[in-house]
Amino acid sequence: MTPETPSPGSLFGPDSQFHLFFNDPRWALAVLRATVLEAAHPQIGAALIDNSTFVAHPWRRLRNTLVSLQRMFGPDEEVRRKEAARLNRMHARLSGTDGRNRPYDAMDPEVRAWVVATVFESSVTMRRLSGQPLDPAATERLYAEFHGFFRALGDRGGHLPPTLREFWQYYDRMVEEELENTEALRIILYKLFDHLPAPPLLNGLPTVWAAGRALAGPVVGTVTVASLPEPFRRRAGLPEVPGAQALMQGAYLAAGLTRFLPDSWITTENITGLLYLSPDSDDPRAATLMALRDRMQRAAALFRLVTPFPAQHGPADETGGGGRNAEQFFTDVLDQTGDGYLDWPDLAAMARELSSRLDLDEPEETKLYNAYADWWRELQAALDTDGDGRISREEYATAVPSLAGPALIRLAEVLFTATDTDGNGSIDATEYRSLFQTAFHRDKPTTEPTYSRTAFVKDFLAFMTARSHTTPFDPLLTEA
């Protein structure tokens, strides 16, 4: 089956147009392009700057997005309903004002329509730029699927045009009149790739990662800018790099050639699984990849002698046990949004990540958010010495970060209860995996330990007060 001839049936599931795109390597370029167009919307850009972890934890953010899309476009109606409800609860918590005192609200249906529109349009553009444009019937089918996605979120009222012809008029108007050169857009295009942390698989290989990032980062940025609509590039003042259009065409064509590789090599689940493999994984691919890592480390050591890179700082340099100093813990764990401060959006990001991993529904999700809110008030009262409503790295480091107050202890208890789904007072192997395992699918394990309430709370408190970073909680909240 080809994307041009989708089989009839449901808008969702394995026969959908979206399902074919999901495992198309070119779609990575399309998703990046869509993200930039989303960030150019003033409301979305402001929400990203204030609340998103895309700067400090881009790989985790990508994985969560892919998992959510997989749930929404999968064949199971109940899974889709539950995921839509989760997304709506999450978005209902994201509102505020931008730097120009303009309000933003992630539940605004016009904003949500633009998010859906960018992914649809970028998917169509992906095929056109790679020399395989969708025929009219396939384009109509794809638009019907994204319209179904929008309706599954509960949005009504024509915010996303009902017909494809009206959609293109809407899209052109948004590009020419609504989009701006926002701070979030500039970070994605010009800063994110310069500081992009290594995925878990390449942790411990700072030289290899720095070399690859130095070469690939400018190329990815140039390709993305060149693929954006020309009216927006001109109005936003984005630079025109000589040869950028040819480079962009070449990138899309090269990505398209990977579709001839075996399916098992290029499926999104397999690629994501490889990026998150750990040395102690029981996955049969782990031994091969770890042997390759060892050779890369030896090559990197030799390469540093010839062409030394600046010293790499961050989690990739941490190899020993023991605790962190306060400033390192602040950067690695507490500052989830990467803006240099600790405030409510950072703790809300932790609550979102844990709620998503545990697939919490109401009222458990709200209990976890409320526990984090109580802890934030406790931290703010103790550490916000200048009264500006946030905690700086210096304020945190000079206070008493090892003190576990009542709110943090209560948070540990709430998290244990949410994880202990059968209520037997102990976290078994399956429950353990639901919280700590990073993967698309979480099959029942045989080797993970069980956790008593006392041990769980003790480890959580040791981690969250910077006394230890060898517990399972470390990759849970520090992974890139």
Side-chain angles (χ1 to χ4, degrees):
M1 184 190 304
T2 66
E4 288 81 0
T5 58
S7 66
S10 170
L11 292 176
F12 307 107
D15 292 330
S16 68
Q17 190 84 2
F18 173 85
H19 183 81
L20 297 172
F21 280 154
F22 190 76
N23 291 316
D24 188 327
R26 292 170 294 184
W27 207 56
L29 295 171
V31 169
L32 177 58
R33 179 181 183 275
T35 302
V36 171
L37 289 170
E38 291 170 21
H41 189 289
Q43 285 201 57
I44 299 174
L48 286 173
I49 289 297
D50 286 351
N51 301 281
S52 179
T53 62
F54 77 99
V55 173
H57 303 279
W59 298 106
R60 189 178 77 194
R61 179 72 175 82
L62 173 63
R63 185 200 70 230
N64 290 346
T65 298
L66 293 175
V67 170
S68 181
L69 287 171
Q70 188 184 51
R71 291 171 177 172
M72 288 297 297
F73 281 91
D76 192 319
E77 180 62 31
E78 179 59 24
V79 169
R80 181 162 44 254
R81 182 202 63 77
K82 188 172 183 179
E83 179 64 11
R86 186 190 71 83
L87 290 173
N88 286 335
R89 292 195 304 270
M90 179 183 73
H91 290 150
R93 295 183 171 101
L94 304 179
S95 61
T97 56
D98 67 9
R100 294 163 59 181
N101 206 33
R102 296 178 297 183
Y104 67 82
D105 182 354
M107 284 298 289
D108 185 332
E110 293 185 359
V111 171
R112 287 150 68 92
W114 179 243
V115 172
V116 176
T118 60
V119 182
F120 164 73
E121 188 275 340
S122 291
S123 300
V124 174
T125 298
M126 169 196 83
R127 290 296 302 266
R128 175 175 56 80
L129 293 178
S130 56
Q132 291 183 308
L134 291 173
D135 65 26
T139 307
E140 290 277 3
R141 169 61 186 265
L142 183 64
Y143 187 63
E145 292 171 8
F146 275 97
H147 218 287
F149 168 76
F150 188 64
R151 293 195 303 272
L153 291 173
D155 290 293
R156 298 289 188 273
H159 295 285
L160 192 66
T163 67
L164 190 57
R165 180 181 61 82
E166 293 171 296
F167 171 81
W168 294 120
Q169 297 172 350
Y170 153 81
Y171 179 82
D172 289 342
R173 179 185 63 79
M174 291 291 295
V175 167
E176 294 177 5
E177 299 177 8
E178 300 293 332
L179 303 190
E180 299 177 1
N181 189 348
T182 64
E183 181 183 357
L185 177 146
R186 293 191 296 272
I187 288 175
I188 295 171
L189 287 178
Y190 303 120
K191 294 182 180 180
L192 181 60
F193 290 106
D194 288 342
H195 302 90
L196 186 68
L201 178 63
L202 295 179
N203 274 345
L205 298 172
T207 303
V208 173
W209 179 250
R213 184 178 59 191
L215 293 173
V219 173
V220 173
T222 299
V223 167
T224 303
V225 170
S227 71
L228 297 175
E230 193 276 335
F232 174 66
R233 295 203 313 270
R234 183 177 62 249
R235 190 160 55 86
L238 298 178
E240 294 284 348
V241 178
Q245 291 296 320
L247 180 63
M248 174 195 65
Q249 293 282 354
Y252 274 90
L253 289 172
L257 292 176
T258 60
R259 70 185 184 278
F260 296 112
L261 295 172
D263 290 343
S264 60
W265 292 17
I266 60 175
T267 61
T268 300
E269 290 184 23
N270 284 342
I271 293 173
T272 304
L274 285 174
L275 288 175
Y276 281 89
L277 272 182
S278 61
D280 58 351
S281 171
D282 57 0
D283 190 301
R285 300 170 296 179
T288 300
L289 288 173
M290 292 311 120
L292 179 59
R293 267 180 57 125
D294 290 342
R295 293 192 178 189
M296 293 170 67
Q297 283 178 317
R298 290 195 293 268
L302 177 61
F303 188 64
R304 280 196 299 270
L305 295 176
V306 181
T307 311
F309 278 83
Q312 301 295 306
H313 301 286
D317 285 322
E318 298 299 323
T319 56
R324 292 178 169 87
N325 64 46
E327 290 193 2
Q328 180 190 347
F329 179 79
F330 184 97
T331 300
D332 292 351
V333 180
L334 296 179
D335 184 14
Q336 290 281 306
T337 60
D339 64 354
Y341 293 90
L342 170 62
D343 54 11
W344 168 240
D346 296 300
L347 300 192
M350 295 184 196
R352 281 199 306 273
E353 175 63 18
L354 297 175
S355 296
S356 177
R357 281 175 169 266
L358 294 172
D359 202 17
L360 295 183
D361 210 335
E362 292 289 18
E364 288 76 14
E365 182 182 274
T366 295
K367 289 180 181 177
L368 185 62
Y369 270 89
N370 288 342
Y372 266 103
D374 290 341
W375 186 39
W376 165 239
R377 286 188 285 270
E378 184 176 80
L379 287 171
Q380 191 176 25
L383 305 180
D384 182 17
T385 56
D386 61 8
D388 65 351
R390 57 186 184 176
I391 299 168
S392 69
R393 185 181 290 104
E394 292 73 22
E395 285 175 325
Y396 182 81
T398 57
V400 190
S402 61
L403 178 63
L408 183 59
I409 297 172
R410 172 60 181 161
L411 172 58
E413 295 277 355
V414 170
L415 181 57
F416 177 87
T417 300
T419 308
D420 178 22
T421 55
D422 59 11
N424 69 351
S426 177
I427 293 175
D428 62 27
T430 301
E431 293 164 342
Y432 181 98
R433 189 174 177 86
S434 70
L435 178 60
F436 295 112
Q437 180 67 29
T438 299
F440 277 90
H441 298 297
R442 294 169 181 162
D443 302 324
K444 186 173 181 178
T446 58
T447 58
E448 280 88 347
T450 59
Y451 250 145
S452 68
R453 178 181 293 271
T454 300
F456 183 94
V457 171
K458 178 181 177 182
D459 276 359
F460 183 79
L461 294 178
F463 171 70
M464 293 307 300
T465 55
R467 295 198 302 268
S468 172
H469 69 288
T470 59
T471 72
F473 294 100
D474 191 70
L476 182 65
L477 292 174
T478 65
E479 67 181 13

